[in-house]
Structure formats: C-alpha cells, structure tokens
Amino acid sequence: MTALIALAPIIFGLLALSAVFSAAETSMTGASRARMHQLERDGDRAARRVNRLLSDQETMIGSVLLGNNLINILASALATQVLTRTIPGALGVAIATGVMTVLVLVFAEVLPKTLAILRSDEVARLLSWPTYFVVKAFGPIIYAIQWAIRKTLGLFGVNMSMEMDVLAAHEEIRGAVEYHHAEGLVESRDRWMLGGVLDLAQLDVSEVMVHRKAIAVIDADLPPDAVLDEALKSPHTRLPLYREDPENIVGVLHVKDLLQAIADAKGDISAVDVAAVAREPWFVPETTSLKDQLAAFLKRKTHFALVVDEYGALAGLVTLEDILEEIVGEIEDEYDVDDADVRPGPDGSVSVDGAVTIRELNRAMNWDLPDDEAVTVAGLLINEAQTIPDVGQSFRVFGHQVQVTERKGNQITRLQISPPAAAAD
C-alpha cells in the first residue's frame, strides 16, 4: 500500500503528460491551416511553430504517438507492479489492466482530445512549443521507422512516395466548399465561382474557346471603308483578318487602332492601310490549360488569342473574358446580343442551344451533368447516343430526358432537357 501511495503521483503525472500528447496530436491535425498562415503573417510565433510542425505532418504525428505510447506503457507497468504486490497473481494484473484502461481512456484520451477538437487552433498554439521539442527528440527514430516501413511495403509492391499529392489541397478545398454549400452556408453562385478557380488548371482552352464557325472575321483585302463597316457591325472590338481562306488568319484588327489610324489620316479612310494597322496574331495550342493561358494573358498584356489544333489548323479563339466567365459566370455588356441560349421552362425543363457548354448549363440550372467526355450539350447527347439524332428523337442521359428540337445539317442546334426528377422512373 505504501508503494501504491508513493507511486500514485508519478502515475497521475504520467497520465497528465499523456493527455498533453493526445491533445497535441488532435489539435495539430485539426487546426485551421488558413488561420495559422494568417497568424504567422501577423507575427505570431506559436502559429509559425504550428506551420513548421505541419509541414512534416507524418513525422510530427509519429513523434507524438511514440511519446504517448511510451508514457502509457510506463504508467501501466508501474501500476501493474504496485498492484501485483498488494494483490498477487492474475487478479492483481486484471485489476491493474482495468483501472489503467479506464484512466487512460477517460483522462488521457477522450477528455483531452475532446477539448482539442473544440479549441483546435488555441490548443495547437499553446502546445506547439513542447510538441516541437518532442519532434526534435524523436524525429530521427521516426525517420528510421518510416524508412523501415517503406522498405517493408516495397517488398509487396506498395510504393509510398515521400512527396505530397499536389491535388490533395485542391480536393480538400473543394470538399469544404461542397460541404458548406450542402449545409446552406455557401450560396450556389459562390460555390460555382470557387469551383471555377480550382478548375482552371484542369480545363483546356479548347473547352471554353469560341469555335471557328462562330468567329466573326474580316477579309483583309476589302477596301478600308468596307472593313470599317464590318467592324462597326460586329459587337467585338478585336476582329481577326484573313486572306483567301477564312481560316488563314493574317492579323488581328483592334477597332481602337483603326479609329486612331482614321484620325491620323484626317478622316480620309481610303488612306488607311488596314494591314499595317492590324496586330500580329497570337496562336496558342488547344491543349493549353486555362491557368497557363490566364498567366500568359497577364504577362503579354493582351486579351485575345487564336487557338490551333495539333495539326496547326485554326480551331477557335479564346479571350480573357472567356476564362473569367469560367469563374464568375456569363459577362455581358451593352453590345452583347441576348440570344437566350438557355431558356428555363415553368416545369423545370430547359430549352438549350446545342453549342452551350455543359458547365454553363450546370451553372444556370444547378445540375451536375458530367463534362469529362464532351464540352457542349450537343456533344454530350451525341456521345451518349453514339449517333447524330434527328429532330424529335429523345434519349435518357444521366437521369435527364433529352429531346432534339432543332437541327441544321449534322449540327444539333437546340434541345429540350427535362429536370432530373421528371426523368426518374
């Protein structure tokens, strides 16, 4: 009994230390990365230590778990030794096991971890200093254990890379946005905007470009007054110039440059050399990601690029506005023509132009049609039907009833799409 009284403070001290380890592990993994980075920028040293620990999270968790297990095992061994002296045999071992299990579970695991979950940021900053020393002390041991684990798993064909998955952060942010949207804390518009930013690196310019059939081009060999007339008829301020073939682009005419040239010629339009006014066209491959293209727009200080396919043929054009629309939605000005590409009906169905992108339709109707196999709504239908449907034909596409209402040649120009609920059996 004397030994039990003497060792009781030591055992409870070890349990308290174990509680600190448990709270450190839970708070570090649950701390807000964004808040820690902001606090570090504001000069908070504790937040800086937390960020340093989280930069090698595997080593940090391994060190804390190693220290925690050593303390729990030591406390259990001491309790067992004392109780077996008072109650010899298996009964003393059983009592020691039961008592220490309850004490460790309640006071060294559940209680500190519950507190750490409720106050993750505060607890992480508070315990950053002792955790840092634990990692420094046990770090070499953890590295050796990690090396042994990787070598062992490598024998079974499991390759554990030391590098972090670069998509993990994006998927974590996307998951947080979807969760808060489902909880009603993020509006649908904000959800699409945040998702659009995350998708820039995964989308190619071919998925947002204006197709070559829809590009407004001007013949460079037309008289200057005819070029001006064509430019004024167009709602765009940058117009490609071609010679002989509409796909043979030789320059890009900016309306402001044309007006400046006319002003310099004192209003004599016939004296303007349109070819000299036009700027050199900028061609980009259709496989360029939107993120890279946005960076290129900013670097070159231009908002207009022509897109070519793998054979060098003109595929379309992309502008800075096209990329921004992937984030904020459709951007319209006073010269845009409202052609009602998406016309929602009172029953929840929608009449949609075949050239509308799937992402645009999803954004407008808050649907989740997949866009990994096709870019446009017409392309999605053709991909699913494996044919070019005739007017009046109807198909079930991912829970929606899709009917072709207009077709010009081989091009599906308009479809009627029912809402998912109306298409369900």
Side-chain angles (χ1 to χ4, degrees), residues 66 82 119 122 191 219 329:
L66 176 59
V82 171
R119 304 289 184 186
E122 291 82 354
R191 171 202 179 196
D219 188 348

Side-chain angles (χ1 to χ4, degrees), residues 77-97:
L78 291 175
T80 302
Q81 182 182 12
V82 171
L83 285 175
T84 51
R85 290 179 181 178
T86 305
I87 307 176
L91 180 60
V93 174
I95 294 176
T97 301

